Amino acid sequence: MSETIVMPKLGMTMTEGTIVEWYKEVGEPVNEGESVLMISSEKLNQDVEAPITGILLAKNANVDDQLEVGATIAIIGEEGEVPVTNEAKADQPSASREEAANPSANLVKTEQNKVKGSRIFITPLARKMVKENNLDKDLIKGTGGNGRITKRDIQRVLASGYDYQAESQVAAALAVPAPAANYESIGEGLNPMRKAIARNMRRSLGQTAQLTLHRKANADSLIDFQKVLRNKIETADLDVKLTLTVLIARATVLALQDLKKMNSHYQDGQLTEFDEVHLGIATSLDDGLLVPVVKDAHQKTIGALAKEIKEISTKARNGQASGDLLTGSTFTITNLGASGIEYFTPILNTPETGILGVGAFQDELILDEEGKVKSVKKIPLSLTFDHQIADGALAAEFLSTLVNYIENPYLLVL
């Protein structure tokens, strides 16, 4: 029995992949788990392995061809076997003789099944409200993504009855529809990574209300704290590279646990706040940008955080990052300090609510408590957030909390 190799989905935003290289030709034997070809996704190159042992019966794409996620790339089976794709199997006739003899009865049956089996998308909260209020979800038209029924739809039904849907439909018919965003056409002519970045950035700006707040933090205490820890690490002969980025990441994790609304996703009309912090670390490459993720960063010590940030950044730069390593972040940090940039406006890594930009240290003169002039190092912070989810006051509170951890660094180990 033949098996198909399909274009895998390596990341949350991946929609298509490009064939980079074939390792096998039609007619050659392959073993289960053996690499058959290399693909280039939106963010990385990765080998695709054979699902079974057999003969490569057919290839459905050539080098540089682009296929959508889930599309058949190749077929593996026994020698001499006629390759049959999953799509062809699905198209094979399966109607009974009775249905073939009575087409009208078959049509009625098909239509009945269509109505009965139509899928209704509904958020968990909306489903709970339907059950609590004994509503019929089949009579509710969802206004969320993919026609999903949301909390707001249930509230409207409870306030105005099912008839509110008709009023909404009339209003929609009279309104002039806005042109649909065609993100798939963005980035044409660019390499796969730049195309993915172009699409994701335009999608982010088109689906969110982004606002950036800027603030400085006194970094003198953080720098002194780093020196103390580095001495301890050296004395203990530990293999840990403690950078200021690691300490800022730790401070960010703690601030996110204090203000969980900033540690959230807004997607398909549903806001999800997370207890777990999965921290994305924007990593610059020669031809683009990747955001590998430190999973469960809230459970990691400063030393463990330092090791993992170094490890995932190295994998991203070397093209070794798996799809799992590049997905699932709840908040992202991007640091342009090494480039001498002070303030900037980072773009949200949707569906995240916030992203923190870190700039280059600045020397400033201030008056100390005794009225004497002294020089201090300030670190510029740029917080972009989705104004749909958070107001300026909440974002400002998050920055204040973060600054407090940076300026009182011993809180990072408590």
Side-chain angles (χ1 to χ4, degrees):
M1 191 70 176
S2 62
E3 288 283 343
T4 59
I5 298 177
V6 301
M7 181 63 69
K9 188 177 181 67
L10 303 179
M12 184 171 59
T13 60
M14 178 177 171
T15 59
E16 61 185 20
T18 303
I19 308 300
V20 175
E21 180 181 358
W22 282 98
Y23 302 135
K24 296 288 184 177
E25 297 298 331
V26 173
E28 290 185 354
V30 294
N31 296 317
E32 181 179 352
E34 184 180 5
S35 295
V36 178
L37 73 156
M38 177 189 289
I39 64 166
S40 172
S41 76
E42 299 172 334
K43 298 183 176 180
L44 70 159
N45 292 344
Q46 183 157 313
D47 286 351
V48 179
E49 299 175 349
I52 61 172
T53 296
I55 302 296
L56 182 60
L57 299 177
K59 298 195 299 187
N60 196 40
N62 299 316
V63 172
D64 293 333
D65 286 350
Q66 291 185 335
L67 297 177
E68 294 183 353
V69 168
T72 298
I73 302 177
I75 303 173
I76 297 175
E78 298 178 359
E79 187 171 4
E81 182 179 358
V82 177
V84 180
T85 66
N86 290 337
E87 291 87 344
K89 293 175 186 176
D91 290 338
Q92 292 176 356
S94 58
S96 65
R97 292 181 180 178
E98 179 183 352
E99 291 169 343
N102 190 351
S104 60
N106 188 36
L107 178 61
V108 172
K109 180 178 179 181
T110 301
E111 289 300 313
Q112 288 175 343
N113 287 342
K114 182 178 179 181
V115 174
K116 183 178 179 181
S118 59
R119 185 176 179 185
I120 297 176
F121 295 93
I122 183 169
T123 66
L125 178 57
R127 187 183 301 277
K128 179 180 178 183
M129 294 173 69
V130 165
K131 184 176 181 180
E132 290 176 346
N133 294 280
N134 196 27
L135 299 175
D136 186 351
K137 66 178 182 294
D138 293 330
L139 299 178
I140 303 172
K141 180 176 176 59
T143 58
N146 295 324
R148 190 183 304 273
I149 299 173
T150 67
K151 172 185 174 182
R152 181 174 296 180
D153 296 318
I154 305 301
Q155 290 174 332
R156 287 173 176 168
V157 170
L158 293 175
S160 307
Y162 296 113
D163 291 340
Y164 95 89
Q165 302 284 351
E167 298 174 4
S168 300
Q169 291 169 4
V170 171
L174 294 176
V176 177
N182 182 15
Y183 297 111
E184 297 306 313
S185 64
I186 295 172
E188 292 299 330
L190 302 178
N191 66 47
M193 178 174 288
R194 291 308 321 174
K195 182 189 292 186
I197 292 172
R199 290 178 180 177
N200 293 340
M201 295 301 97
R202 288 288 296 276
R203 184 182 291 112
S204 174
L205 291 171
Q207 295 178 348
T208 58
Q210 301 192 24
L211 178 65
T212 304
L213 300 184
H214 304 287
R215 178 167 177 175
K216 295 177 184 177
N218 188 327
D220 281 356
S221 295
L222 190 68
I223 294 170
D224 291 340
F225 181 67
Q226 180 194 29
K227 292 177 181 178
V228 171
L229 289 186
R230 279 182 168 176
N231 288 335
K232 298 291 185 182
I233 290 170
E234 185 176 347
T235 301
D237 196 25
L238 298 176
D239 183 21
V240 177
K241 183 180 179 181
L242 185 62
T243 65
L244 287 170
T245 297
V246 171
L247 297 179
I248 293 171
R250 173 62 177 166
T252 302
V253 169
L254 294 177
L256 288 170
Q257 290 192 295
D258 291 343
L259 295 165
K260 293 182 180 179
K261 197 164 187 177
M262 294 300 300
N263 188 47
S264 62
H265 283 180
Y266 181 56
Q267 193 171 30
D268 294 333
Q270 183 75 18
L271 177 64
T272 305
E273 295 180 15
F274 298 98
D275 293 325
E276 306 83 7
V277 179
H278 305 310
L279 194 63
I281 305 295
T283 303
S284 178
L285 309 181
D286 290 338
D287 57 349
L289 183 77
L290 290 182
V291 185
V293 183
V294 178
K295 301 292 175 64
D296 296 314
H298 60 293
Q299 296 179 344
K300 292 178 168 58
T301 64
I302 292 176
L305 202 57
K307 286 184 177 181
E308 188 155 350
I309 288 177
K310 179 182 178 182
E311 179 183 342
I312 65 173
S313 299
T314 300
K315 285 184 176 180
R317 292 190 179 99
N318 293 340
Q320 300 172 330
S322 64
D324 180 65
L325 188 64
L326 299 173
T327 58
S329 56
T330 58
F331 189 92
T332 295
I333 294 178
T334 176
N335 191 337
L336 290 180
S339 301
I341 300 300
E342 297 178 359
Y343 291 110
F344 56 107
T345 53
I347 296 177
L348 286 174
N349 186 20
T350 54
E352 297 170 19
T353 297
I355 180 171
L356 179 70
V358 181
F361 285 115
Q362 302 173 26
D363 291 314
E364 291 189 3
L365 297 178
I366 65 169
L367 293 177
D368 62 16
E369 296 177 354
E370 300 178 355
K372 296 181 180 179
V373 177
K374 72 173 185 178
S375 176
V376 298
K377 286 192 178 295
K378 293 287 187 74
I379 183 168
L381 304 171
S382 302
L383 175 69
T384 296
F385 63 98
D386 189 348
H387 214 330
Q388 297 176 112
I389 309 306
D391 291 329
L394 176 64
E397 184 181 0
F398 174 81
L399 273 180
S400 295
T401 303
L402 176 61
V403 168
N404 183 56
Y405 281 117
I406 290 174
E407 295 183 347
N408 298 280
Y410 282 92
L411 295 174
L412 304 180
V413 296
L414 296 180

